[in-house]
Amino acid sequence: MRFTRVAALATATALTFGMTACGGKDAESGATGTTKTFAAGSTMERLNKAQAIKVGTKFDQPGFGLKGLSGKPEGFDVEVAKIIVKELGIPADKITFVETPSKIREDAIVNNNVDFVVATYTINDKRKERIAFAGPYYEAGQNILVKAADTAITGPDAFKAGDKKVCSVTGSTPAEKIKESVKDVATQVVLFDTYDKCVAALDGGQVDAVTTDNVILLGYIAKNAGKYKLAGPNFTKEPYGIGVKLEDKAFRTFINDTLEKAYADGSWKKAWDGTAGKFGAELGAAPTVNRY
Ligand code: GLU
C-alpha cells in the first residue's frame, strides 16, 4: 500500500515536470539524459529527441570560453550552455562546441551551424535584425588592455591624438565603439578575428592597446600575472545574451525560463564562481531577462 502511494506520487511528479523516461548518466557532468515532453514540433523537442546539440562559443577567451589542454572549451559561457542543455534533458557530453568568433555568430545561427550561441555576445538592435536574444545573463563593459608599465593610455581619449594603435575583433561592438575615439580609423584601428591575435600584437609592439569587454581583458590579465592592466574604467554597457533563431520565440522563452531558474537555485552563481569569477570581476545581481 505504502509502495503504491509512493509510486503514484513519483508518477505524478514526473508528469508535472513533463518527464516520461530516464536515460543514462553522463559520467563527466553527472547530468542525466532524460526524455522530456516538450511541445510538438518545438526546438526543445527536436533537440531532446536527438540527444545531441551544437553550441557556439569562443575558444580563446579565458574565463568565458577557452579551449585548453583538455581539448574542450571551459568558462562561464560554457557553464551557462551546460545549464541550458541539462534543462533540455541532454547530457553535457553530448554537446558539440563550435568556435564562433565575433564576426560569424549571427551567420552560425542563421545557417543552422549551431543550435544557440553563448559567446560574450552583446545584445543590440542591429544583431536583433537577424537573430533573437535570450537573457541577459551578465553585464560587462568595454575597457582597454595595456602593458602594465603604460601610463599614457588611461581611456579611449588617448587615441584622439592619432599616434597610438588599438586592436579589437572584427564584428564586435568594441571595434565599432573605439572608432569614435580615434583620429584615423585606417591607421589606428587594427582588427583580427580573435582576441588572442590582438594580445599577441600588443606583445609584439604592433599595437599599443587591446579593447573589448572588461571581463575578457581581465581573463588575459589573470593568465599573465603582472604583464597587463586595464587602462581605466569601463565606458560602455555590454549585456550578454544567448543567440537563437530570430523566429524561435518558444526556444527563447525556454532559455529565459531556464536562466531565471538558474538565478534562483544558485547554479548561475556557481558557474560564475568556478570560472570568470576567479579573475576579479563582479557578478552583480541577477539581470532581469528581457522577454521582448
Ligand atoms: N561583447 C562584445 C560583442 O559581442 C565584445 C566581445 C566579443 O567580441 O565577443 O561584440
Side-chain angles (χ1 to χ4, degrees), residues 58 102 105 119-122 127 172-174 195 212-213 216 240:
K58 299 295 188 79
S102 305
R105 290 175 293 199
T120 59
Y121 200 4
T122 297
R127 291 172 178 166
S172 71
T173 50
Y195 293 107
T212 186
D213 302 339
I216 298 172
Y240 287 175

Side-chain angles (χ1 to χ4, degrees), residues 99-119:
E99 185 176 19
T100 47
S102 305
K103 192 182 169 219
I104 71 152
R105 290 175 293 199
E106 288 91 281
D107 286 342
I109 294 165
V110 170
N111 297 333
N112 295 320
N113 295 341
V114 294
D115 295 298
F116 64 84
V117 166
V118 197

Side-chain angles (χ1 to χ4, degrees), residues 162-280:
D163 61 336
K164 292 188 178 12
K165 287 189 169 55
V166 58
C167 188
S168 197
V169 159
T170 314
S172 71
T173 50
E176 289 312 303
K177 182 75 185 168
I178 203 67
K179 288 177 186 170
E180 298 168 13
S181 301
V182 301
K183 193 173 179 190
D184 179 33
V185 172
T187 58
Q188 287 181 265
V189 179
V190 176
L191 297 179
F192 290 115
D193 59 343
T194 64
Y195 293 107
D196 255 1
K197 292 179 188 166
C198 280
V199 174
L202 178 64
D203 287 344
Q206 290 98 331
V207 299
D208 303 285
V210 177
T211 189
T212 186
D213 302 339
N214 63 329
V215 282
I216 298 172
L217 300 175
L218 284 170
Y220 285 108
I221 291 171
K223 288 271 167 201
N224 300 276
K227 204 168 171 189
Y228 314 115
K229 65 179 181 184
L230 293 182
N234 293 351
F235 51 95
T236 68
K237 287 191 190 322
E238 308 289 332
Y240 287 175
I242 294 158
V244 297
K245 279 260 172 73
L246 186 60
E247 64 283 0
D248 202 344
K249 188 110 195 233
F251 193 33
R252 182 150 54 98
T253 299
F254 169 83
I255 295 175
N256 280 329
D257 291 346
T258 304
L259 288 176
E260 285 183 344
K261 198 174 148 196
Y263 297 159
D265 70 13
S267 53
W268 171 72
K269 187 176 182 312
K270 190 171 165 230
W272 174 264
D273 289 345
T275 57
K278 293 178 180 165
F279 299 163

Side-chain angles (χ1 to χ4, degrees), residues 121-129 131 133 173 238-239:
Y121 200 4
T122 297
I123 300 170
N124 68 28
D125 288 343
K126 188 165 173 249
R127 291 172 178 166
K128 277 191 200 164
E129 288 171 12
I131 58 119
F133 286 103
T173 50
E238 308 289 332

Side-chain angles (χ1 to χ4, degrees), residues 135-148:
Y137 62 93
Y138 183 72
E139 186 174 281
Q142 186 172 352
N143 210 307
I144 297 167
L145 184 82
V146 292
K147 287 193 175 148

